[in-house]
PDB file of all heavy atoms in Angstrom:
ATOM      1  N   GLY A  29       5.358   0.855  -4.927  1.00 95.00           N
ATOM      2  CA  GLY A  29       6.000   1.611  -6.031  1.00 95.00           C
ATOM      3  C   GLY A  29       6.824   2.707  -5.385  1.00 95.00           C
ATOM      4  O   GLY A  29       6.724   2.969  -4.228  1.00 95.00           O
ATOM      5  N   PRO A  30       7.651   3.373  -6.231  1.00 93.00           N
ATOM      6  CA  PRO A  30       8.608   4.320  -5.666  1.00 93.00           C
ATOM      7  C   PRO A  30       7.980   5.594  -5.049  1.00 93.00           C
ATOM      8  O   PRO A  30       6.774   5.931  -5.420  1.00 93.00           O
ATOM      9  CB  PRO A  30       9.426   4.760  -6.882  1.00 93.00           C
ATOM     10  CG  PRO A  30       9.093   3.921  -8.039  1.00 93.00           C
ATOM     11  CD  PRO A  30       7.829   3.186  -7.640  1.00 93.00           C
ATOM     12  N   SER A  31       8.662   6.264  -4.210  1.00 89.00           N
ATOM     13  CA  SER A  31       8.188   7.447  -3.597  1.00 89.00           C
ATOM     14  C   SER A  31       7.988   8.469  -4.683  1.00 89.00           C
ATOM     15  O   SER A  31       8.851   8.650  -5.612  1.00 89.00           O
ATOM     16  CB  SER A  31       9.252   8.004  -2.647  1.00 89.00           C
ATOM     17  OG  SER A  31       8.916   9.176  -2.008  1.00 89.00           O
ATOM     18  N   LYS A  35       1.127   7.057  -4.837  1.00 95.00           N
ATOM     19  CA  LYS A  35       0.462   6.084  -4.029  1.00 95.00           C
ATOM     20  C   LYS A  35      -0.555   6.710  -3.151  1.00 95.00           C
ATOM     21  O   LYS A  35      -1.670   6.311  -2.983  1.00 95.00           O
ATOM     22  CB  LYS A  35       1.359   5.210  -3.115  1.00 95.00           C
ATOM     23  CG  LYS A  35       2.411   4.514  -3.903  1.00 95.00           C
ATOM     24  CD  LYS A  35       3.239   3.513  -2.938  1.00 95.00           C
ATOM     25  CE  LYS A  35       4.186   4.244  -1.934  1.00 95.00           C
ATOM     26  NZ  LYS A  35       5.463   4.498  -2.423  1.00 95.00           N
ATOM     27  N   SER A  54       0.481   2.625   8.969  1.00 98.00           N
ATOM     28  CA  SER A  54       1.760   2.199   9.371  1.00 98.00           C
ATOM     29  C   SER A  54       2.369   3.035  10.490  1.00 98.00           C
ATOM     30  O   SER A  54       1.847   4.123  10.791  1.00 98.00           O
ATOM     31  CB  SER A  54       2.792   2.410   8.163  1.00 98.00           C
ATOM     32  OG  SER A  54       2.378   1.508   7.138  1.00 98.00           O
ATOM     33  N   ALA A  55       3.380   2.537  11.141  1.00 98.00           N
ATOM     34  CA  ALA A  55       4.198   3.286  12.118  1.00 98.00           C
ATOM     35  C   ALA A  55       5.471   3.774  11.468  1.00 98.00           C
ATOM     36  O   ALA A  55       5.988   3.125  10.544  1.00 98.00           O
ATOM     37  CB  ALA A  55       4.458   2.378  13.270  1.00 98.00           C
ATOM     38  N   ARG A  58       9.795   8.775  11.351  1.00 96.00           N
ATOM     39  CA  ARG A  58      10.012  10.101  10.740  1.00 96.00           C
ATOM     40  C   ARG A  58       9.106  11.155  11.297  1.00 96.00           C
ATOM     41  O   ARG A  58       8.056  10.909  11.866  1.00 96.00           O
ATOM     42  CB  ARG A  58       9.965   9.982   9.198  1.00 96.00           C
ATOM     43  CG  ARG A  58       8.573  10.229   8.602  1.00 96.00           C
ATOM     44  CD  ARG A  58       8.740  10.835   7.146  1.00 96.00           C
ATOM     45  NE  ARG A  58       7.529  10.591   6.417  1.00 96.00           N
ATOM     46  CZ  ARG A  58       6.293  11.145   6.533  1.00 96.00           C
ATOM     47  NH1 ARG A  58       6.191  11.989   7.558  1.00 96.00           N
ATOM     48  NH2 ARG A  58       5.348  10.919   5.701  1.00 96.00           N
ATOM     49  N   ARG A  61       4.803  15.386   8.434  1.00 92.00           N
ATOM     50  CA  ARG A  61       4.767  16.502   7.584  1.00 92.00           C
ATOM     51  C   ARG A  61       3.565  17.495   7.864  1.00 92.00           C
ATOM     52  O   ARG A  61       2.649  16.960   8.612  1.00 92.00           O
ATOM     53  CB  ARG A  61       4.610  16.111   6.165  1.00 92.00           C
ATOM     54  CG  ARG A  61       5.769  15.169   5.594  1.00 92.00           C
ATOM     55  CD  ARG A  61       5.566  14.950   4.167  1.00 92.00           C
ATOM     56  NE  ARG A  61       6.608  14.011   3.730  1.00 92.00           N
ATOM     57  CZ  ARG A  61       6.339  12.842   3.097  1.00 92.00           C
ATOM     58  NH1 ARG A  61       5.068  12.438   2.840  1.00 92.00           N
ATOM     59  NH2 ARG A  61       7.291  11.978   2.834  1.00 92.00           N
ATOM     60  N   GLU A  64      -0.136  16.156   8.500  1.00 96.00           N
ATOM     61  CA  GLU A  64      -0.215  14.746   8.763  1.00 96.00           C
ATOM     62  C   GLU A  64      -0.749  14.602  10.236  1.00 96.00           C
ATOM     63  O   GLU A  64      -0.299  15.246  11.148  1.00 96.00           O
ATOM     64  CB  GLU A  64       1.084  14.036   8.549  1.00 96.00           C
ATOM     65  CG  GLU A  64       1.349  13.757   7.155  1.00 96.00           C
ATOM     66  CD  GLU A  64       2.701  12.941   6.896  1.00 96.00           C
ATOM     67  OE1 GLU A  64       3.599  13.039   7.787  1.00 96.00           O
ATOM     68  OE2 GLU A  64       2.708  12.258   5.878  1.00 96.00           O
ATOM     69  N   TYR A  70      -0.056   8.170   9.835  1.00 98.00           N
ATOM     70  CA  TYR A  70       0.914   7.194  10.408  1.00 98.00           C
ATOM     71  C   TYR A  70       0.704   7.181  11.997  1.00 98.00           C
ATOM     72  O   TYR A  70       0.129   8.123  12.499  1.00 98.00           O
ATOM     73  CB  TYR A  70       2.334   7.711  10.211  1.00 98.00           C
ATOM     74  CG  TYR A  70       2.911   7.439   8.898  1.00 98.00           C
ATOM     75  CD1 TYR A  70       3.100   8.476   7.899  1.00 98.00           C
ATOM     76  CD2 TYR A  70       3.414   6.122   8.540  1.00 98.00           C
ATOM     77  CE1 TYR A  70       3.732   8.251   6.640  1.00 98.00           C
ATOM     78  CE2 TYR A  70       3.959   5.897   7.276  1.00 98.00           C
ATOM     79  CZ  TYR A  70       4.093   6.910   6.418  1.00 98.00           C
ATOM     80  OH  TYR A  70       4.740   6.693   5.114  1.00 98.00           O
ATOM     81  N   GLU A  89       5.957  -6.447   9.123  1.00 97.00           N
ATOM     82  CA  GLU A  89       7.224  -6.161   8.491  1.00 97.00           C
ATOM     83  C   GLU A  89       7.709  -4.846   8.889  1.00 97.00           C
ATOM     84  O   GLU A  89       6.887  -3.944   9.268  1.00 97.00           O
ATOM     85  CB  GLU A  89       7.065  -6.334   6.911  1.00 97.00           C
ATOM     86  CG  GLU A  89       6.089  -5.443   6.339  1.00 97.00           C
ATOM     87  CD  GLU A  89       6.618  -3.936   6.106  1.00 97.00           C
ATOM     88  OE1 GLU A  89       7.767  -3.792   5.732  1.00 97.00           O
ATOM     89  OE2 GLU A  89       5.843  -3.012   6.225  1.00 97.00           O
ATOM     90  N   THR A  90       9.000  -4.620   8.834  1.00 98.00           N
ATOM     91  CA  THR A  90       9.569  -3.321   9.124  1.00 98.00           C
ATOM     92  C   THR A  90      10.673  -3.032   8.064  1.00 98.00           C
ATOM     93  O   THR A  90      11.218  -3.938   7.430  1.00 98.00           O
ATOM     94  CB  THR A  90      10.264  -3.169  10.454  1.00 98.00           C
ATOM     95  OG1 THR A  90      11.369  -4.182  10.473  1.00 98.00           O
ATOM     96  CG2 THR A  90       9.252  -3.412  11.535  1.00 98.00           C
ATOM     97  N   ARG A  91      10.948  -1.710   7.813  1.00 96.00           N
ATOM     98  CA  ARG A  91      11.938  -1.330   6.858  1.00 96.00           C
ATOM     99  C   ARG A  91      12.574  -0.081   7.281  1.00 96.00           C
ATOM    100  O   ARG A  91      11.881   0.822   7.824  1.00 96.00           O
ATOM    101  CB  ARG A  91      11.207  -1.173   5.526  1.00 96.00           C
ATOM    102  CG  ARG A  91      12.134  -1.073   4.341  1.00 96.00           C
ATOM    103  CD  ARG A  91      12.635  -2.412   3.937  1.00 96.00           C
ATOM    104  NE  ARG A  91      13.678  -2.247   2.930  1.00 96.00           N
ATOM    105  CZ  ARG A  91      14.610  -3.117   2.574  1.00 96.00           C
ATOM    106  NH1 ARG A  91      14.495  -4.365   3.247  1.00 96.00           N
ATOM    107  NH2 ARG A  91      15.544  -2.913   1.702  1.00 96.00           N
ATOM    108  N   TYR A  93      14.084   3.134   5.804  1.00 90.00           N
ATOM    109  CA  TYR A  93      13.944   3.902   4.541  1.00 90.00           C
ATOM    110  C   TYR A  93      14.466   5.331   4.894  1.00 90.00           C
ATOM    111  O   TYR A  93      13.886   6.025   5.586  1.00 90.00           O
ATOM    112  CB  TYR A  93      12.511   3.867   4.043  1.00 90.00           C
ATOM    113  CG  TYR A  93      12.243   4.497   2.749  1.00 90.00           C
ATOM    114  CD1 TYR A  93      12.289   3.787   1.575  1.00 90.00           C
ATOM    115  CD2 TYR A  93      12.124   5.873   2.681  1.00 90.00           C
ATOM    116  CE1 TYR A  93      12.097   4.341   0.283  1.00 90.00           C
ATOM    117  CE2 TYR A  93      11.891   6.497   1.467  1.00 90.00           C
ATOM    118  CZ  TYR A  93      11.887   5.735   0.238  1.00 90.00           C
ATOM    119  OH  TYR A  93      11.686   6.358  -0.945  1.00 90.00           O
ATOM    120  N   TYR A  98       9.991   2.260   9.272  1.00 98.00           N
ATOM    121  CA  TYR A  98       8.586   2.143   8.836  1.00 98.00           C
ATOM    122  C   TYR A  98       8.135   0.724   9.250  1.00 98.00           C
ATOM    123  O   TYR A  98       8.985  -0.179   9.094  1.00 98.00           O
ATOM    124  CB  TYR A  98       8.349   2.412   7.441  1.00 98.00           C
ATOM    125  CG  TYR A  98       8.719   3.869   6.967  1.00 98.00           C
ATOM    126  CD1 TYR A  98      10.014   4.179   6.779  1.00 98.00           C
ATOM    127  CD2 TYR A  98       7.669   4.711   6.841  1.00 98.00           C
ATOM    128  CE1 TYR A  98      10.318   5.463   6.367  1.00 98.00           C
ATOM    129  CE2 TYR A  98       7.930   6.077   6.411  1.00 98.00           C
ATOM    130  CZ  TYR A  98       9.209   6.472   6.143  1.00 98.00           C
ATOM    131  OH  TYR A  98       9.564   7.755   5.773  1.00 98.00           O
ATOM    132  N   GLY A  99       6.901   0.530   9.696  1.00 98.00           N
ATOM    133  CA  GLY A  99       6.440  -0.810   9.958  1.00 98.00           C
ATOM    134  C   GLY A  99       4.950  -0.933   9.839  1.00 98.00           C
ATOM    135  O   GLY A  99       4.223   0.008  10.101  1.00 98.00           O
ATOM    136  N   THR A 100       4.525  -2.127   9.453  1.00 98.00           N
ATOM    137  CA  THR A 100       3.069  -2.476   9.311  1.00 98.00           C
ATOM    138  C   THR A 100       2.671  -3.083  10.644  1.00 98.00           C
ATOM    139  O   THR A 100       3.095  -4.283  10.885  1.00 98.00           O
ATOM    140  CB  THR A 100       2.857  -3.331   8.154  1.00 98.00           C
ATOM    141  OG1 THR A 100       3.414  -2.814   6.969  1.00 98.00           O
ATOM    142  CG2 THR A 100       1.396  -3.714   7.929  1.00 98.00           C
ATOM    143  N   LYS A 118       0.077   0.837   1.737  1.00 97.00           N
ATOM    144  CA  LYS A 118       0.932   1.251   0.693  1.00 97.00           C
ATOM    145  C   LYS A 118       2.348   1.286   1.234  1.00 97.00           C
ATOM    146  O   LYS A 118       2.847   2.431   1.378  1.00 97.00           O
ATOM    147  CB  LYS A 118       0.457   2.641   0.101  1.00 97.00           C
ATOM    148  CG  LYS A 118       0.007   3.614   1.147  1.00 97.00           C
ATOM    149  CD  LYS A 118      -0.469   4.841   0.397  1.00 97.00           C
ATOM    150  CE  LYS A 118      -1.125   5.841   1.429  1.00 97.00           C
ATOM    151  NZ  LYS A 118      -0.295   6.590   2.303  1.00 97.00           N
ATOM    152  N   PRO A 119       3.027   0.165   1.420  1.00 96.00           N
ATOM    153  CA  PRO A 119       4.378   0.208   1.839  1.00 96.00           C
ATOM    154  C   PRO A 119       5.310   0.391   0.673  1.00 96.00           C
ATOM    155  O   PRO A 119       4.908   0.324  -0.407  1.00 96.00           O
ATOM    156  CB  PRO A 119       4.545  -1.224   2.410  1.00 96.00           C
ATOM    157  CG  PRO A 119       3.614  -2.051   1.601  1.00 96.00           C
ATOM    158  CD  PRO A 119       2.492  -1.178   1.243  1.00 96.00           C
ATOM    159  N   GLU A 120       6.521   0.605   0.931  1.00 94.00           N
ATOM    160  CA  GLU A 120       7.589   0.572  -0.209  1.00 94.00           C
ATOM    161  C   GLU A 120       7.747  -0.929  -0.712  1.00 94.00           C
ATOM    162  O   GLU A 120       7.137  -1.868  -0.134  1.00 94.00           O
ATOM    163  CB  GLU A 120       8.919   1.262   0.162  1.00 94.00           C
ATOM    164  CG  GLU A 120       9.594   0.817   1.455  1.00 94.00           C
ATOM    165  CD  GLU A 120      10.025  -0.525   1.450  1.00 94.00           C
ATOM    166  OE1 GLU A 120      10.974  -0.861   0.604  1.00 94.00           O
ATOM    167  OE2 GLU A 120       9.607  -1.405   2.198  1.00 94.00           O
ATOM    168  N   ASN A 122      10.008  -3.468  -0.794  1.00 96.00           N
ATOM    169  CA  ASN A 122      10.457  -4.529   0.040  1.00 96.00           C
ATOM    170  C   ASN A 122       9.394  -5.035   1.023  1.00 96.00           C
ATOM    171  O   ASN A 122       9.146  -6.118   1.406  1.00 96.00           O
ATOM    172  CB  ASN A 122      11.801  -4.269   0.802  1.00 96.00           C
ATOM    173  CG  ASN A 122      12.868  -4.267  -0.215  1.00 96.00           C
ATOM    174  OD1 ASN A 122      13.319  -5.311  -0.541  1.00 96.00           O
ATOM    175  ND2 ASN A 122      13.309  -3.112  -0.640  1.00 96.00           N
ATOM    176  N   GLY A 123       8.695  -3.864   1.596  1.00 97.00           N
ATOM    177  CA  GLY A 123       7.642  -4.179   2.562  1.00 97.00           C
ATOM    178  C   GLY A 123       6.481  -4.929   1.827  1.00 97.00           C
ATOM    179  O   GLY A 123       5.902  -5.933   2.349  1.00 97.00           O
ATOM    180  N   ARG A 154       6.528  18.735  -3.935  1.00 83.00           N
ATOM    181  CA  ARG A 154       5.830  18.755  -2.588  1.00 83.00           C
ATOM    182  C   ARG A 154       6.661  19.309  -1.446  1.00 83.00           C
ATOM    183  O   ARG A 154       6.199  19.534  -0.417  1.00 83.00           O
ATOM    184  CB  ARG A 154       5.314  17.275  -2.227  1.00 83.00           C
ATOM    185  CG  ARG A 154       6.401  16.336  -1.801  1.00 83.00           C
ATOM    186  CD  ARG A 154       5.711  14.930  -1.538  1.00 83.00           C
ATOM    187  NE  ARG A 154       6.679  14.055  -1.033  1.00 83.00           N
ATOM    188  CZ  ARG A 154       6.613  12.728  -1.055  1.00 83.00           C
ATOM    189  NH1 ARG A 154       5.497  12.107  -1.542  1.00 83.00           N
ATOM    190  NH2 ARG A 154       7.439  11.911  -0.471  1.00 83.00           N
ATOM    191  N   GLU A 157      11.042  17.226   1.190  1.00 87.00           N
ATOM    192  CA  GLU A 157      12.418  16.537   1.424  1.00 87.00           C
ATOM    193  C   GLU A 157      13.506  17.489   0.919  1.00 87.00           C
ATOM    194  O   GLU A 157      13.345  18.387   0.056  1.00 87.00           O
ATOM    195  CB  GLU A 157      12.479  15.257   0.581  1.00 87.00           C
ATOM    196  CG  GLU A 157      11.861  14.063   1.233  1.00 87.00           C
ATOM    197  CD  GLU A 157      10.393  14.014   0.913  1.00 87.00           C
ATOM    198  OE1 GLU A 157       9.893  14.587  -0.196  1.00 87.00           O
ATOM    199  OE2 GLU A 157       9.563  13.436   1.677  1.00 87.00           O
ATOM    200  N   ARG A 165      15.909   9.004  -2.489  1.00 90.00           N
ATOM    201  CA  ARG A 165      14.697   8.440  -2.881  1.00 90.00           C
ATOM    202  C   ARG A 165      14.675   7.967  -4.351  1.00 90.00           C
ATOM    203  O   ARG A 165      14.087   6.951  -4.797  1.00 90.00           O
ATOM    204  CB  ARG A 165      13.451   9.368  -2.605  1.00 90.00           C
ATOM    205  CG  ARG A 165      13.025   9.398  -1.093  1.00 90.00           C
ATOM    206  CD  ARG A 165      11.962  10.335  -0.775  1.00 90.00           C
ATOM    207  NE  ARG A 165      11.745  10.294   0.666  1.00 90.00           N
ATOM    208  CZ  ARG A 165      10.605   9.982   1.301  1.00 90.00           C
ATOM    209  NH1 ARG A 165       9.549   9.653   0.607  1.00 90.00           N
ATOM    210  NH2 ARG A 165      10.507   9.943   2.562  1.00 90.00           N
ATOM    211  N   GLU A 172      14.052  -0.314  -6.639  1.00 95.00           N
ATOM    212  CA  GLU A 172      12.662  -0.886  -6.457  1.00 95.00           C
ATOM    213  C   GLU A 172      12.109  -1.464  -7.735  1.00 95.00           C
ATOM    214  O   GLU A 172      11.464  -2.507  -7.712  1.00 95.00           O
ATOM    215  CB  GLU A 172      11.651   0.119  -6.000  1.00 95.00           C
ATOM    216  CG  GLU A 172      11.992   0.499  -4.505  1.00 95.00           C
ATOM    217  CD  GLU A 172      11.123   1.555  -3.828  1.00 95.00           C
ATOM    218  OE1 GLU A 172      10.729   2.603  -4.513  1.00 95.00           O
ATOM    219  OE2 GLU A 172      10.632   1.388  -2.780  1.00 95.00           O
TER     220      GLU A 172
HETATM  221  P1  5GP B  24       6.963   8.695   3.371  1.00 54.54           P
HETATM  222  O1  5GP B  24       8.056   9.100   4.257  1.00 54.54           O
HETATM  223  O2  5GP B  24       7.135   9.366   2.020  1.00 54.54           O
HETATM  224  O3  5GP B  24       5.628   8.672   3.928  1.00 54.54           O
HETATM  225  O4  5GP B  24       7.268   7.083   3.023  1.00 54.54           O
HETATM  226  C1  5GP B  24       8.500   6.645   2.543  1.00 54.54           C
HETATM  227  C2  5GP B  24       8.246   5.262   1.929  1.00 54.54           C
HETATM  228  O5  5GP B  24       7.983   4.339   3.005  1.00 54.54           O
HETATM  229  C3  5GP B  24       7.206   5.219   0.988  1.00 54.54           C
HETATM  230  O6  5GP B  24       7.594   4.530  -0.093  1.00 54.54           O
HETATM  231  C4  5GP B  24       6.136   4.490   1.747  1.00 54.54           C
HETATM  232  O7  5GP B  24       5.301   3.697   0.844  1.00 54.54           O
HETATM  233  C5  5GP B  24       6.902   3.567   2.598  1.00 54.54           C
HETATM  234  N1  5GP B  24       6.172   3.013   3.776  1.00 54.54           N
HETATM  235  C6  5GP B  24       5.192   3.642   4.518  1.00 54.54           C
HETATM  236  N2  5GP B  24       4.888   2.873   5.475  1.00 54.54           N
HETATM  237  C7  5GP B  24       5.501   1.658   5.351  1.00 54.54           C
HETATM  238  C8  5GP B  24       5.449   0.405   6.097  1.00 54.54           C
HETATM  239  O8  5GP B  24       4.686   0.223   7.003  1.00 54.54           O
HETATM  240  N3  5GP B  24       6.314  -0.525   5.678  1.00 54.54           N
HETATM  241  C9  5GP B  24       7.116  -0.259   4.606  1.00 54.54           C
HETATM  242  N4  5GP B  24       7.943  -1.396   4.300  1.00 54.54           N
HETATM  243  N5  5GP B  24       7.211   0.824   3.907  1.00 54.54           N
HETATM  244  C10 5GP B  24       6.410   1.829   4.317  1.00 54.54           C
END
Side-chain angles (χ1 to χ4, degrees):
S31 180
K35 299 189 291 275
S54 291
R58 84 151 160 73
R61 296 188 187 123
E64 283 185 330
Y70 279 108
E89 59 80 36
T90 62
R91 192 75 190 164
Y93 182 93
Y98 294 80
T100 305
K118 45 182 171 67
E120 50 67 66
N122 287 283
R154 80 181 184 199
E157 281 85 25
R165 281 178 183 239
E172 290 179 315

